[in-house]
Amino acid sequence: MADGAFGLTKELERETASVWAKVRDHVTPMEWPTQAALIHEINQLKRERDAVILAHNYMTPEIFHGVGDYVGDSLGLAKEAAKSKAKVIVQAGVHFMAETSKILSPEKTVLIPDLRAGCSLAASITGADVRLIKQRYPGLPVVTYVNTTADVKAETDICCTSANAVQVVEWAAKEWGVDRVILIPDEYLARNVAAQTTVGIIAWKGRCEVHERFTAADIADMRAAYPGAEILAHPECPEDVLAASDFAGSTAAMIDFVEAKKPKQVVMITECSMASNVAGDVPGVQFIGPCNLCPHMKRITLENIRDCLLNMQFEVTVPEDMAERARLAVQRMIDLPPPAIPARYDLIKARHHVAVELI
Protein backbone atom coordinates (compact mmCIF):
# COMPACT_ATOMS: atom_id res chain seq x y z
CA MET A 1 0.00 0.00 0.00
CA ALA A 2 1.33 3.45 -0.86
CA ASP A 3 2.74 5.62 1.86
CA GLY A 4 0.86 8.68 3.14
CA ALA A 5 2.07 11.55 5.30
CA PHE A 6 5.21 10.93 7.43
CA GLY A 7 5.82 7.68 5.53
CA LEU A 8 2.81 5.99 7.18
CA THR A 9 0.68 3.59 5.20
CA LYS A 10 -2.60 5.10 4.06
CA GLU A 11 -4.46 2.76 6.44
CA LEU A 12 -2.37 3.75 9.46
CA GLU A 13 -2.58 7.41 8.52
CA ARG A 14 -6.39 7.21 8.45
CA GLU A 15 -6.54 5.25 11.70
CA THR A 16 -4.40 7.74 13.65
CA ALA A 17 -5.43 10.99 11.96
CA SER A 18 -7.70 12.09 14.82
CA VAL A 19 -4.94 11.42 17.35
CA TRP A 20 -2.37 13.33 15.31
CA ALA A 21 -4.71 16.33 15.19
CA LYS A 22 -4.64 16.46 19.01
CA VAL A 23 -0.95 15.75 19.61
CA ARG A 24 0.70 17.55 16.67
CA ASP A 25 1.79 20.48 18.86
CA HIS A 26 3.51 18.12 21.31
CA VAL A 27 4.92 15.35 19.09
CA THR A 28 7.44 15.99 16.30
CA PRO A 29 6.88 14.64 12.77
CA MET A 30 10.04 12.56 13.26
CA GLU A 31 8.57 10.79 16.31
CA TRP A 32 5.08 10.29 14.94
CA PRO A 33 5.61 7.25 12.64
CA THR A 34 6.95 5.18 15.54
CA GLN A 35 4.23 6.39 17.89
CA ALA A 36 1.46 5.85 15.35
CA ALA A 37 2.60 2.26 14.80
CA LEU A 38 2.66 1.63 18.56
CA ILE A 39 -0.80 3.13 18.98
CA HIS A 40 -2.09 0.81 16.25
CA GLU A 41 -0.44 -2.24 17.83
CA ILE A 42 -1.71 -1.40 21.33
CA ASN A 43 -5.27 -0.89 20.13
CA GLN A 44 -5.14 -4.26 18.40
CA LEU A 45 -3.80 -5.93 21.56
CA LYS A 46 -6.60 -4.39 23.62
CA ARG A 47 -9.17 -6.15 21.45
CA GLU A 48 -7.29 -9.44 21.63
CA ARG A 49 -6.86 -9.31 25.42
CA ASP A 50 -10.32 -7.87 26.19
CA ALA A 51 -8.55 -4.98 27.87
CA VAL A 52 -9.11 -1.29 28.58
CA ILE A 53 -6.47 1.33 29.30
CA LEU A 54 -6.99 3.90 32.04
CA ALA A 55 -5.00 7.01 31.10
CA HIS A 56 -4.47 9.53 33.87
CA ASN A 57 -4.49 13.27 33.15
CA TYR A 58 -0.71 13.30 33.66
CA MET A 59 0.06 10.82 30.90
CA THR A 60 1.82 12.16 27.81
CA PRO A 61 -0.51 13.21 24.95
CA GLU A 62 0.20 10.25 22.67
CA ILE A 63 -0.89 7.89 25.49
CA PHE A 64 -3.78 10.05 26.70
CA HIS A 65 -5.31 10.65 23.26
CA GLY A 66 -3.91 7.63 21.43
CA VAL A 67 -4.70 4.58 23.56
CA GLY A 68 -6.67 5.72 26.62
CA ASP A 69 -10.16 4.20 26.77
CA TYR A 70 -10.97 6.15 29.90
CA VAL A 71 -9.16 9.36 30.80
CA GLY A 72 -9.31 11.52 33.90
CA ASP A 73 -8.28 11.57 37.55
CA SER A 74 -7.37 8.45 39.52
CA LEU A 75 -10.70 7.81 41.22
CA GLY A 76 -12.71 8.56 38.10
CA LEU A 77 -10.62 6.05 36.18
CA ALA A 78 -11.12 3.34 38.81
CA LYS A 79 -14.88 3.91 38.83
CA GLU A 80 -15.05 3.67 35.04
CA ALA A 81 -12.98 0.49 35.11
CA ALA A 82 -15.43 -1.05 37.58
CA LYS A 83 -18.29 -0.35 35.16
CA SER A 84 -16.43 -1.81 32.18
CA LYS A 85 -17.08 -5.38 31.04
CA ALA A 86 -13.42 -5.80 30.03
CA LYS A 87 -11.50 -8.57 31.77
CA VAL A 88 -8.15 -6.72 31.85
CA ILE A 89 -7.34 -3.23 33.11
CA VAL A 90 -4.05 -1.54 32.21
CA GLN A 91 -3.30 1.37 34.51
CA ALA A 92 -1.47 4.13 32.62
CA GLY A 93 -0.64 5.92 35.83
CA VAL A 94 1.10 5.07 39.09
CA HIS A 95 0.96 2.10 41.43
CA PHE A 96 -1.56 3.35 44.01
CA MET A 97 -3.99 3.99 41.14
CA ALA A 98 -3.66 0.39 39.99
CA GLU A 99 -4.36 -0.75 43.56
CA THR A 100 -7.51 1.38 43.68
CA SER A 101 -8.65 -0.15 40.40
CA LYS A 102 -8.08 -3.63 41.84
CA ILE A 103 -9.95 -2.69 45.03
CA LEU A 104 -13.00 -1.64 43.01
CA SER A 105 -12.65 -4.43 40.41
CA PRO A 106 -11.40 -7.47 42.37
CA GLU A 107 -12.52 -9.92 39.70
CA LYS A 108 -10.45 -8.28 36.95
CA THR A 109 -6.77 -8.59 36.07
CA VAL A 110 -5.05 -5.25 36.73
CA LEU A 111 -1.70 -4.58 35.06
CA ILE A 112 0.73 -1.67 35.30
CA PRO A 113 3.36 -1.15 32.58
CA ASP A 114 6.16 -0.34 35.06
CA LEU A 115 6.17 -1.48 38.69
CA ARG A 116 8.55 1.37 39.57
CA ALA A 117 5.85 3.98 38.82
CA GLY A 118 5.36 5.14 42.39
CA CYS A 119 4.33 8.38 44.08
CA SER A 120 6.17 10.55 46.60
CA LEU A 121 2.91 11.40 48.37
CA ALA A 122 1.71 7.80 48.62
CA ALA A 123 5.18 6.79 49.88
CA SER A 124 5.04 9.38 52.67
CA ILE A 125 2.78 7.27 54.93
CA THR A 126 2.09 3.61 55.71
CA GLY A 127 -0.74 1.65 57.26
CA ALA A 128 1.38 1.30 60.40
CA ASP A 129 1.65 5.10 60.60
CA VAL A 130 -2.13 5.40 60.43
CA ARG A 131 -2.58 2.87 63.24
CA LEU A 132 -0.28 4.96 65.44
CA ILE A 133 -2.18 8.14 64.52
CA LYS A 134 -5.46 6.51 65.56
CA GLN A 135 -3.91 5.53 68.91
CA ARG A 136 -2.80 9.14 69.44
CA TYR A 137 -6.20 10.59 68.49
CA PRO A 138 -8.79 7.99 69.58
CA GLY A 139 -12.34 8.62 68.47
CA LEU A 140 -11.48 10.97 65.61
CA PRO A 141 -12.35 9.93 62.05
CA VAL A 142 -9.54 9.39 59.58
CA VAL A 143 -10.08 10.90 56.13
CA THR A 144 -7.51 9.72 53.62
CA TYR A 145 -6.72 11.15 50.21
CA VAL A 146 -7.15 8.59 47.42
CA ASN A 147 -3.49 9.20 46.48
CA THR A 148 -2.43 6.52 48.98
CA THR A 149 -1.58 2.84 49.04
CA ALA A 150 -4.10 0.09 49.72
CA ASP A 151 -2.72 -0.59 53.21
CA VAL A 152 -3.33 3.06 54.15
CA LYS A 153 -6.85 3.03 52.73
CA ALA A 154 -7.53 -0.13 54.74
CA GLU A 155 -6.89 1.81 58.00
CA THR A 156 -9.15 4.65 56.89
CA ASP A 157 -12.74 5.59 57.76
CA ILE A 158 -13.44 7.35 54.46
CA CYS A 159 -11.41 8.46 51.44
CA CYS A 160 -11.55 11.79 49.65
CA THR A 161 -10.33 13.43 46.47
CA SER A 162 -9.02 16.95 46.00
CA ALA A 163 -12.46 17.84 44.60
CA ASN A 164 -14.55 16.61 47.52
CA ALA A 165 -12.16 16.85 50.50
CA VAL A 166 -14.09 19.68 52.19
CA GLN A 167 -17.37 17.84 51.78
CA VAL A 168 -15.93 14.58 53.14
CA VAL A 169 -14.29 16.29 56.14
CA GLU A 170 -17.54 18.02 57.07
CA TRP A 171 -19.51 14.79 56.61
CA ALA A 172 -17.06 12.86 58.82
CA ALA A 173 -17.16 15.50 61.58
CA LYS A 174 -20.96 15.41 61.62
CA GLU A 175 -21.18 11.61 61.38
CA TRP A 176 -18.73 11.08 64.25
CA GLY A 177 -20.05 14.04 66.27
CA VAL A 178 -16.63 15.71 66.59
CA ASP A 179 -15.13 19.10 65.80
CA ARG A 180 -11.76 17.78 64.55
CA VAL A 181 -10.88 15.39 61.75
CA ILE A 182 -7.63 13.69 60.74
CA LEU A 183 -6.91 14.45 57.07
CA ILE A 184 -3.88 12.62 55.61
CA PRO A 185 -1.36 12.50 54.04
CA ASP A 186 -1.08 15.69 51.92
CA GLU A 187 -0.12 18.63 54.13
CA TYR A 188 -1.01 21.28 51.56
CA LEU A 189 -4.37 19.75 50.69
CA ALA A 190 -5.12 19.68 54.43
CA ARG A 191 -4.16 23.33 54.87
CA ASN A 192 -6.24 24.36 51.88
CA VAL A 193 -9.22 22.37 53.18
CA ALA A 194 -8.82 24.06 56.57
CA ALA A 195 -9.28 27.39 54.83
CA GLN A 196 -12.73 26.29 53.65
CA THR A 197 -14.27 24.79 56.78
CA THR A 198 -14.71 25.40 60.51
CA VAL A 199 -13.80 21.77 61.24
CA GLY A 200 -10.38 21.48 62.89
CA ILE A 201 -7.80 19.66 60.77
CA ILE A 202 -5.05 17.35 61.99
CA ALA A 203 -2.57 16.83 59.14
CA TRP A 204 0.43 14.71 58.13
CA LYS A 205 3.57 16.15 56.53
CA GLY A 206 3.23 14.41 53.19
CA ARG A 207 3.73 16.29 49.95
CA CYS A 208 3.58 15.75 46.21
CA GLU A 209 7.03 16.40 44.75
CA VAL A 210 5.46 17.95 41.64
CA HIS A 211 3.18 20.46 43.35
CA GLU A 212 5.31 21.43 46.34
CA ARG A 213 7.93 22.99 44.03
CA PHE A 214 5.60 25.75 42.84
CA THR A 215 5.93 29.10 44.60
CA ALA A 216 4.04 32.38 44.81
CA ALA A 217 7.03 33.93 43.00
CA ASP A 218 6.23 31.67 40.02
CA ILE A 219 2.73 33.13 39.96
CA ALA A 220 4.05 36.69 40.18
CA ASP A 221 6.42 36.04 37.27
CA MET A 222 3.58 34.66 35.15
CA ARG A 223 1.37 37.63 35.99
CA ALA A 224 4.10 40.00 34.85
CA ALA A 225 4.78 38.13 31.63
CA TYR A 226 1.14 37.29 30.76
CA PRO A 227 -1.13 39.80 32.55
CA GLY A 228 -4.30 38.50 30.88
CA ALA A 229 -3.79 34.79 31.62
CA GLU A 230 -6.06 32.84 33.94
CA ILE A 231 -3.96 30.99 36.55
CA LEU A 232 -5.34 27.68 37.82
CA ALA A 233 -3.70 25.82 40.72
CA HIS A 234 -4.10 22.33 42.14
CA PRO A 235 -4.92 22.03 45.90
CA GLU A 236 -1.72 20.02 46.46
CA CYS A 237 0.20 23.29 45.94
CA PRO A 238 1.31 25.48 48.89
CA GLU A 239 -1.29 27.86 50.34
CA ASP A 240 0.36 31.03 49.04
CA VAL A 241 0.29 29.60 45.50
CA LEU A 242 -3.47 29.07 45.70
CA ALA A 243 -3.98 32.50 47.24
CA ALA A 244 -2.10 34.11 44.34
CA SER A 245 -4.01 32.15 41.67
CA ASP A 246 -7.36 32.87 40.02
CA PHE A 247 -8.86 29.45 40.61
CA ALA A 248 -8.06 26.38 42.69
CA GLY A 249 -9.44 22.94 41.99
CA SER A 250 -8.85 19.31 41.17
CA THR A 251 -7.72 18.23 37.73
CA ALA A 252 -11.38 17.66 36.79
CA ALA A 253 -12.34 21.10 38.08
CA MET A 254 -9.53 22.75 36.12
CA ILE A 255 -10.65 21.01 32.94
CA ASP A 256 -14.25 22.09 33.56
CA PHE A 257 -13.06 25.67 34.09
CA VAL A 258 -11.17 25.79 30.79
CA GLU A 259 -13.89 24.07 28.78
CA ALA A 260 -16.60 26.33 30.19
CA LYS A 261 -14.79 29.68 30.04
CA LYS A 262 -12.37 29.08 27.15
CA PRO A 263 -10.01 31.89 28.22
CA LYS A 264 -7.47 33.10 25.66
CA GLN A 265 -4.51 32.18 27.88
CA VAL A 266 -4.28 29.68 30.74
CA VAL A 267 -1.57 28.69 33.19
CA MET A 268 -2.11 25.31 34.86
CA ILE A 269 -0.07 25.01 38.05
CA THR A 270 0.25 21.24 38.05
CA GLU A 271 1.99 18.40 36.16
CA CYS A 272 3.16 19.33 32.64
CA SER A 273 1.17 16.83 30.60
CA MET A 274 -2.12 18.06 32.02
CA ALA A 275 -2.07 21.24 29.91
CA SER A 276 -0.88 19.35 26.82
CA ASN A 277 -3.80 16.93 27.08
CA VAL A 278 -6.46 19.57 27.70
CA ALA A 279 -5.09 21.65 24.83
CA GLY A 280 -5.99 18.87 22.40
CA ASP A 281 -9.67 19.27 23.30
CA VAL A 282 -9.95 23.07 23.49
CA PRO A 283 -8.38 24.55 20.35
CA GLY A 284 -7.98 28.29 20.53
CA VAL A 285 -6.87 28.36 24.16
CA GLN A 286 -3.17 29.08 24.65
CA PHE A 287 -1.56 27.11 27.50
CA ILE A 288 1.49 28.66 29.11
CA GLY A 289 4.03 27.29 31.61
CA PRO A 290 5.36 26.89 34.23
CA CYS A 291 4.82 23.23 34.94
CA ASN A 292 6.70 20.42 36.65
CA LEU A 293 7.19 16.86 35.38
CA CYS A 294 6.29 13.84 37.51
CA PRO A 295 9.16 11.36 37.06
CA HIS A 296 6.91 8.48 38.15
CA MET A 297 4.17 9.18 35.64
CA LYS A 298 6.78 9.50 32.92
CA ARG A 299 7.87 5.89 33.49
CA ILE A 300 4.76 4.90 31.54
CA THR A 301 5.39 4.87 27.77
CA LEU A 302 3.73 3.51 24.66
CA GLU A 303 6.49 0.90 24.49
CA ASN A 304 5.91 -0.53 27.96
CA ILE A 305 2.12 -0.36 27.57
CA ARG A 306 2.55 -2.50 24.43
CA ASP A 307 4.85 -4.93 26.28
CA CYS A 308 2.47 -5.05 29.24
CA LEU A 309 -0.38 -6.22 27.01
CA LEU A 310 1.77 -8.42 24.82
CA ASN A 311 3.21 -10.37 27.75
CA MET A 312 0.37 -9.81 30.27
CA GLN A 313 3.02 -8.67 32.74
CA PHE A 314 3.24 -6.74 36.00
CA GLU A 315 -0.04 -7.71 37.62
CA VAL A 316 -1.12 -5.66 40.64
CA THR A 317 -2.87 -7.53 43.46
CA VAL A 318 -4.22 -6.53 46.87
CA PRO A 319 -4.76 -9.08 49.70
CA GLU A 320 -8.50 -9.64 50.01
CA ASP A 321 -8.77 -8.72 53.72
CA MET A 322 -6.95 -5.44 53.00
CA ALA A 323 -8.97 -4.82 49.86
CA GLU A 324 -12.26 -5.37 51.71
CA ARG A 325 -11.44 -2.74 54.35
CA ALA A 326 -10.07 -0.31 51.77
CA ARG A 327 -13.15 -0.81 49.59
CA LEU A 328 -15.39 0.27 52.47
CA ALA A 329 -13.49 3.56 52.81
CA VAL A 330 -13.61 4.24 49.08
CA GLN A 331 -17.28 3.22 48.76
CA ARG A 332 -18.30 5.52 51.61
CA MET A 333 -16.91 8.41 49.61
CA ILE A 334 -18.50 7.26 46.35
CA ASP A 335 -21.88 7.04 48.07
CA LEU A 336 -21.81 10.74 49.04
CA PRO A 337 -23.47 13.15 46.58
CA PRO A 338 -21.01 14.83 44.19
CA PRO A 339 -19.51 18.11 45.44
CA ALA A 340 -20.21 21.47 43.92
CA ILE A 341 -17.57 22.53 41.37
CA PRO A 342 -15.74 24.85 41.60
CA ALA A 343 -14.74 24.66 45.23
CA ARG A 344 -15.35 27.60 47.55
CA TYR A 345 -12.14 29.22 46.46
CA ASP A 346 -13.17 32.64 47.78
CA LEU A 347 -12.70 31.22 51.27
CA ILE A 348 -9.26 29.88 50.40
CA LYS A 349 -8.19 33.37 49.35
CA ALA A 350 -9.66 34.92 52.48
CA ARG A 351 -8.50 32.37 55.05
CA HIS A 352 -5.45 30.66 53.61
CA HIS A 353 -3.38 31.03 56.79
CA VAL A 354 -5.74 28.99 58.98
CA ALA A 355 -3.68 26.82 61.33
CA VAL A 356 -3.69 23.04 61.26
CA GLU A 357 -2.23 20.61 63.77
CA LEU A 358 0.67 18.88 62.05
CA ILE A 359 1.52 15.39 63.27
Side-chain angles (χ1 to χ4, degrees), residues 136-157:
R136 182 173 173 180
Y137 299 95
L140 293 187
V142 178
V143 176
T144 296
Y145 196 21
V146 292
N147 295 28
T148 46
T149 58
D151 73 319
V152 169
K153 289 183 177 74
E155 300 296 335
T156 295
D157 293 305

Side-chain angles (χ1 to χ4, degrees), residues 226-300:
Y226 302 95
E230 295 274 6
I231 299 180
L232 286 54
H234 194 279
E236 292 175 21
C237 294
E239 303 145 279
D240 57 352
V241 171
L242 268 65
S245 301
D246 297 307
F247 176 82
S250 64
T251 55
M254 285 193 275
I255 292 169
D256 288 346
F257 182 99
V258 174
E259 290 181 342
K261 294 202 171 186
K262 293 184 172 60
K264 290 183 179 179
Q265 294 180 321
V266 171
V267 179
M268 283 190 166
I269 306 298
T270 186
E271 211 277 344
C272 282
S273 289
M274 173 82 176
S276 301
N277 293 330
V278 179
D281 292 321
V282 283
V285 177
Q286 181 187 7
F287 289 82
I288 306 163
C291 63
N292 290 322
L293 283 169
C294 174
H296 310 290
M297 290 285 186
K298 268 40 189 182
R299 287 190 181 279
I300 308 302

Side-chain angles (χ1 to χ4, degrees), residues 164-186:
N164 68 11
V166 174
Q167 177 196 20
V168 172
V169 161
E170 292 180 345
W171 176 87
K174 182 178 180 180
E175 191 76 9
W176 267 257
V178 295
D179 60 4
R180 292 192 303 166
V181 166
I182 299 161
L183 176 56
I184 54 178
D186 192 291

